[in-house]
């Protein structure tokens, strides 16, 4: 049973990457899975937030695994912080496990210091934040202990980098322009 939910208008063809992930998700023999929804975000679209995209799928999760190789630059870390702000308001207590990568040992050391700072700040908001680096990453997805696998065409990096430092959208994601992407929500049943 498959339901399509469109956010904006983009071409009818799903990207090869998303089609590949959906095929992999359906092929897992140890678990039964259903594609529950697909959301497409148009180039330049506004009105999109992590809460609107992920809210129904993360509301009961206590453990969230985020795999995104592109949490490297400050604006991408801000996207991660926005994601943490969303799950902090939605949850009583949650564990967030990030797997990402870096281009060089120097970048990894710098990123590690930034993520440790975030890790320490999240404790007071009842988020246990852990992170690891994996150089072989390519795929981008979220998995939850509540039975969802969310295949992220662009990871959390669905927003264009702000054109100027002081502009609308820095705090309110719905004011930011989006990059085109497709997000597929797969229900995983053990």
């Amino acid at each position: 049973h498959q339901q399509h939910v469109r956010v904006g208008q983009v071409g009818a063809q799903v990207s090869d990457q998303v089609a590949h992930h959906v095929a992999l998700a359906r092929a897992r023999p140890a678990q039964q899975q259903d594609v529950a929804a697909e959301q497409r975000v148009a180039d330049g679209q506004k009105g999109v937030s992590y809460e609107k995209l992920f809210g129904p799928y993360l509301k009961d999760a206590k453990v969230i695994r985020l795999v995104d190789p592109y949490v490297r630059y400050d604006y991408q870390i801000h996207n991660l912080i926005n994601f943490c702000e969303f799950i902090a308001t939605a949850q009583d207590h949650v564990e967030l496990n990030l797997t990402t990568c870096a281009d060089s040992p120097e970048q990894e050391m710098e990123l590690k210091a930034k993520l440790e700072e975030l890790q320490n700040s999240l404790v007071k908001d009842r988020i246990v934040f852990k992170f690891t680096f994996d150089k072989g990453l390519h795929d981008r997805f979220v998995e939850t202990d509540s039975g969802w696998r969310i295949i992220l065409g662009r990871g959390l990096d669905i927003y264009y980098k702000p054109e100027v430092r002081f502009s609308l959208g820095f705090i309110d994601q719905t004011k930011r322009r989006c990059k085109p992407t497709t997000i597929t929500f797969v229900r995983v049943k053990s």
Side-chain angles (χ1 to χ4, degrees), residues 3 24 29 36 48 67 84 105 108-109 134 137 142 149:
Q3 171 189 2
L24 286 176
V48 177
V67 176
C84 291
E108 185 174 317
M109 284 179 29
D134 181 347
L137 286 182
V142 173
R149 180 176 175 95

Side-chain angles (χ1 to χ4, degrees), residues 15 27 48 59 64 74 97 164 171 187:
S15 73
V48 177
K59 68 178 181 173
I64 299 170
D74 285 352
N97 300 298
V164 295
I171 295 174
R187 186 68 168 152

Side-chain angles (χ1 to χ4, degrees), residues 111-179:
L111 183 54
K112 182 180 180 203
K114 292 175 182 180
L115 293 176
E116 284 174 346
E117 182 179 338
L118 177 60
Q119 184 179 49
N120 292 333
S121 76
L122 291 174
V123 171
K124 68 182 180 315
D125 293 303
R126 301 175 317 275
I127 297 176
V128 176
F129 177 61
K130 300 175 184 176
F131 60 91
T132 58
F133 294 92
D134 181 347
K135 292 180 186 196
L137 286 182
H138 174 74
D139 296 345
R140 300 159 187 93
F141 60 88
V142 173
E143 286 182 335
T144 71
D145 64 335
S146 58
W148 288 102
R149 180 176 175 95
I150 304 168
I151 302 163
L152 307 169
R154 290 187 177 271
L156 292 182
D157 194 12
I158 65 171
Y159 301 104
Y160 281 109
K161 183 179 177 182
E163 295 173 18
V164 295
R165 285 190 312 165
F166 304 109
S167 62
L168 291 181
F170 187 76
I171 295 174
D172 183 355
Q173 291 178 316
T174 63
K175 306 278 191 234
R176 295 175 71 182
R177 291 183 331 106
C178 290
K179 299 173 184 177

